[in-house]
Amino acid sequence: DIQMTQSPSSLSASVGDRVTFTCRASQSISSYLNWYQQKLGKAPKLLIYAASSLQSGVPSRFSGSGSGTDFTLTISSLQPEDFATYYCQQSYTTPFTFGPGTKVDIK
Amino acid sequence: EVQLVESGGGLVKPGGSLRLSCGVSGFTFSSYSMNWVRQAPGKGLEWVSSISSSSSYIYYADSVKGRFTISRDNAKNSLYLQMNSLRAEDTAVYYCARTSRSGYYFDYWGQGTLVTVSS
């Protein structure tokens, strides 16, 4: 199985900050990497698919990059509604493993 | 508007069974692969199972293989997860999620249904 790791596991940031977090796959997954946002008590929401494609309706302050084994999600200017947990997921092969998540909270 | 609504969760004893349902609307259900993803309390997301649009291809996580069965009824716009031999570690919120047309990401999710396995 492909293992996904994310760093950091949590971070504290302020509104307006630029934040970047990373996701690493245990083997190459090309660009089959997706990012989801989950707020407390809610279902996950797709933000980025295929490593760098912005899902329709998602603000442009979110961006993704990477290929192979190393990927990043960047929020250019953190907004109050962005405080949440972010998960990466590989869709290269089953099992479609998720990373453990990065929790973003208010500094 | 795309909607996915899970139902069937509840409290069940270890070794028991439960059948989850996911009713969908707002899209042509028969054209999309579907999935179940779960989240144990306070934990991360775990993919459980996927089924192709015509049920030709079915996949399971090792943790549920042999105990859970995914199925669908395209005439009823419904996805199912039959869960047998339930264990305490199956306690989680279970989400159904649609696979995109490209086949590589989950673009819509339901609100989830809680399954608690406890004596």
Side-chain angles (χ1 to χ4, degrees), chain A residues 1 32 34 36 38 41-46 48-50 55 87 89 91 94-100, chain B residues 35 37 39 43-47 50 59-62 95 102-112:
Chain A
D1 297 358
Y32 294 99
N34 312 305
Y36 300 87
Q38 187 180 34
K42 301 295 186 182
K45 172 188 173 183
L46 177 68
I48 301 285
Y49 62 92
Q55 171 69 348
Y87 294 95
Q89 178 215 19
S91 51
T94 57
F96 297 129
T97 39
F98 290 86
Chain B
N35 312 273
V37 176
Q39 186 170 37
K43 303 297 184 182
L45 301 168
E46 179 188 15
W47 170 80
S50 297
Y59 306 96
Y60 296 100
D62 285 347
Y95 297 100
S102 73
Y104 298 115
Y105 50 92
F106 302 167
D107 57 357
Y108 286 93
W109 297 62
Q111 86 290 348

Side-chain angles (χ1 to χ4, degrees), chain A residues 1 94-97, chain B residues 36-38 46-50 58-70 81 87 90:
Chain A
D1 297 358
T94 57
F96 297 129
T97 39
Chain B
W36 288 99
V37 176
R38 69 184 181 182
E46 179 188 15
W47 170 80
V48 172
S49 183
S50 297
I58 288 175
Y59 306 96
Y60 296 100
D62 285 347
S63 57
V64 306
K65 200 173 295 182
R67 301 187 299 121
F68 289 12
T69 302
I70 192 172
L81 186 67
R87 306 166 180 167
D90 296 318

Side-chain angles (χ1 to χ4, degrees), chain B residues 19-98:
Chain B
R19 188 196 197 205
L20 305 184
S21 300
C22 173
V24 313
S25 60
F27 65 99
T28 304
F29 180 65
S30 60
S31 297
Y32 289 83
S33 295
M34 297 294 296
N35 312 273
W36 288 99
V37 176
R38 69 184 181 182
Q39 186 170 37
K43 303 297 184 182
L45 301 168
E46 179 188 15
W47 170 80
V48 172
S49 183
S50 297
I51 185 169
S52 62
S53 57
S54 60
S55 304
S56 298
Y57 300 97
I58 288 175
Y59 306 96
Y60 296 100
D62 285 347
S63 57
V64 306
K65 200 173 295 182
R67 301 187 299 121
F68 289 12
T69 302
I70 192 172
S71 63
R72 64 190 295 160
D73 186 334
N74 287 343
K76 294 183 177 180
N77 287 345
S78 293
L79 174 72
Y80 306 102
L81 186 67
Q82 177 67 44
M83 304 185 296
N84 298 330
S85 303
L86 283 161
R87 306 166 180 167
E89 54 265 35
D90 296 318
T91 294
V93 173
Y94 285 73
Y95 297 100
C96 63
R98 188 183 84 168

